[in-house]
Amino acid sequence: MKLYQDYIFDLYGTLVDIRTDEEQPLLWNKMCLLYGGYGAVYLPEELHVLYKRLVKEKEEHAKEDCARKASIKEECVREASREEEHVREVNKEEHTREAGIKEEHIKEKSTENQGGSQNCPSYRKLYAHESYPEIPLEDVFREIYLARGIEPSDELVTHTGQMFRALSTRHIRLYAGAKELLCRLREEGRGVYLLSNAQRIFTERELRFLEIEDCFDGILISSDYGVKKPDERFFRILLEKYRIMPECALMIGNDLDSDIAGAKTVGMDTFYIHSGISPKTGRKVDADYMMRKMNLKSLQKRLLSEQ
């Protein structure tokens, strides 16, 4: 297969096998003990319901905010189109009045006037990515304290989130060959990046626990940016921050929507790996390369062998 300069990896389901359960009663019993110890007393079911309600409300608010911003951008496009049409009409009238104006000058003026509208994204692109905002769960854990009149410190909020993650995680481990794959790519002089839909308060510690925190040239976690895959804005943040050329990069992931379809919107080639936690879509795999089962040792051979 083609050799690339940069390789962008998804995390969970691609490099890391993880199973979590946020519905188990034991989790909410333990979280009640934690919150209650700081003065925010809840019953387990009460706390569970509040958590889910706050998450839903914040996600809906984030989507509404995106829609409002998109509406403003749409008006920008429309206004630019009206201005462009006005310019064409003016040029047409000038041409009629001044037959001596050269055609080349008219074309040049028209091109210059169109430049403003070219700086605005197309209507299709505006709405191709507006429905994938990301919320930081720290806000949810904080509001649960505030609902009981407790003003938590940032440290307490972070501790609460990390305890929640630890209690809800059934198991977490690297897929065989994951660290060796990342290290080998870097040894070969390739750029290695992580683009993950995740919460920093969870993922930062898990990367450290799995001992792969230092295996990347760059790490982007969606909760830091308020946007997640497959939103093309998240991909473009990575490309611009690290000056990656999309035609020279390969996105590797286990999710046909978030990883594969998202990467294609910015012109990147894609490699789909079907793992045990890949979402079931029933669709045909539309990726440049694929593996039907998890095998990162085999993936390493394929990525580093030009054919």
Side-chain angles (χ1 to χ4, degrees):
M1 61 179 288
K2 174 182 174 182
L3 291 179
Y4 295 85
Q5 179 56 45
D6 298 294
Y7 294 87
I8 295 91
F9 287 88
D10 169 56
L11 183 61
Y12 301 112
T14 301
L15 297 171
V16 175
D17 182 22
I18 187 170
R19 298 292 190 282
T20 62
D21 183 359
E22 297 180 2
E23 299 299 318
Q24 55 176 309
L26 181 60
L27 165 64
W28 298 103
N29 288 331
K30 297 293 186 182
M31 292 303 295
C32 277
L33 292 175
L34 175 62
Y35 273 100
Y38 291 96
V41 179
Y42 290 95
L43 294 174
E45 182 60 24
E46 180 185 20
L47 181 58
H48 189 185
V49 170
L50 178 59
Y51 171 81
K52 291 197 294 186
R53 177 172 65 80
L54 289 174
V55 169
K56 182 178 180 181
E57 288 176 355
K58 289 185 178 297
E59 288 177 342
E60 290 176 349
H61 177 74
K63 288 182 180 180
E64 290 171 0
D65 187 51
C66 281
R68 184 174 64 254
K69 291 178 181 178
S71 178
I72 294 173
K73 291 178 182 179
E74 179 188 354
E75 183 57 33
C76 167
V77 173
R78 290 175 177 170
E79 180 63 27
S81 296
R82 287 193 291 267
E83 291 179 0
E84 185 177 328
E85 181 62 28
H86 174 69
V87 168
R88 283 198 294 265
E89 290 299 323
V90 170
N91 286 344
K92 184 177 179 180
E93 291 176 4
E94 289 179 352
H95 177 72
T96 302
R97 291 196 307 266
E98 304 175 21
I101 296 179
K102 293 183 180 181
E103 183 179 356
E104 290 78 4
H105 179 65
I106 295 176
K107 289 181 178 180
E108 180 181 349
K109 187 176 181 64
S110 176
T111 300
E112 292 173 354
N113 288 326
Q114 290 174 9
S117 64
Q118 290 172 348
N119 290 329
C120 290
S122 69
Y123 179 88
R124 183 190 65 78
K125 287 187 177 180
L126 286 175
Y127 285 89
H129 60 187
E130 290 295 347
S131 60
Y132 302 98
E134 179 73 283
I135 64 167
L137 284 180
E138 295 99 309
D139 294 348
V140 173
F141 296 120
R142 184 184 303 278
E143 287 202 21
I144 293 174
Y145 281 108
L146 294 174
R148 287 293 190 263
I150 305 300
E151 184 73 47
S153 65
D154 291 343
E155 291 78 8
L156 177 56
V157 170
T158 299
H159 172 67
T160 301
Q162 292 170 345
M163 182 62 69
F164 174 86
R165 180 67 162 190
L167 292 171
S168 62
T169 300
R170 291 195 177 276
H171 82 253
I172 181 170
R173 64 180 179 84
L174 288 174
Y175 286 114
K179 187 171 183 178
E180 293 81 357
L181 166 62
L182 300 175
C183 292
R184 180 64 191 284
L185 287 171
R186 296 185 76 191
E187 288 172 1
E188 293 292 324
R190 309 298 172 178
V192 178
Y193 301 91
L194 180 67
L195 191 70
S196 179
N197 286 356
Q199 296 290 322
R200 176 164 290 280
I201 58 172
F202 300 164
T203 302
E204 188 172 50
R205 290 172 67 89
E206 289 169 355
L207 289 173
R208 195 173 304 132
F209 167 73
L210 296 167
E211 299 182 341
I212 58 171
E213 185 179 28
D214 297 326
C215 293
F216 300 95
D217 295 293
I219 296 174
L220 266 66
I221 297 173
S222 59
S223 66
D224 291 341
Y225 298 91
V227 64
K228 60 186 176 182
K229 300 174 292 184
D231 195 317
E232 71 175 70
R233 291 173 297 177
F234 196 26
F235 288 89
R236 292 197 183 282
I237 290 170
L238 174 76
L239 297 176
E240 292 172 9
K241 182 174 182 177
Y242 296 104
R243 299 182 180 180
I244 298 170
M245 295 184 292
E247 64 273 17
C248 298
L250 181 69
M251 177 71 207
I252 303 166
N254 76 305
D255 190 313
L256 287 174
D257 291 324
S258 294
D259 302 320
I260 306 307
K264 284 182 174 293
T265 64
V266 296
M268 291 170 53
D269 284 353
T270 56
F271 198 126
Y272 173 72
I273 303 176
H274 186 79
S275 70
I277 57 177
S278 290
K280 297 180 180 179
T281 65
R283 299 200 320 270
K284 180 181 179 181
V285 175
D286 182 22
D288 298 283
Y289 314 98
M290 74 168 293
M291 294 183 70
R292 297 188 181 278
K293 62 180 181 179
M294 175 58 65
N295 188 334
L296 295 185
K297 293 181 179 179
S298 176
L299 176 63
Q300 178 178 317
K301 293 178 181 179
R302 291 185 63 178
L303 295 183
L304 293 174
S305 61
E306 188 172 12
Q307 297 180 359

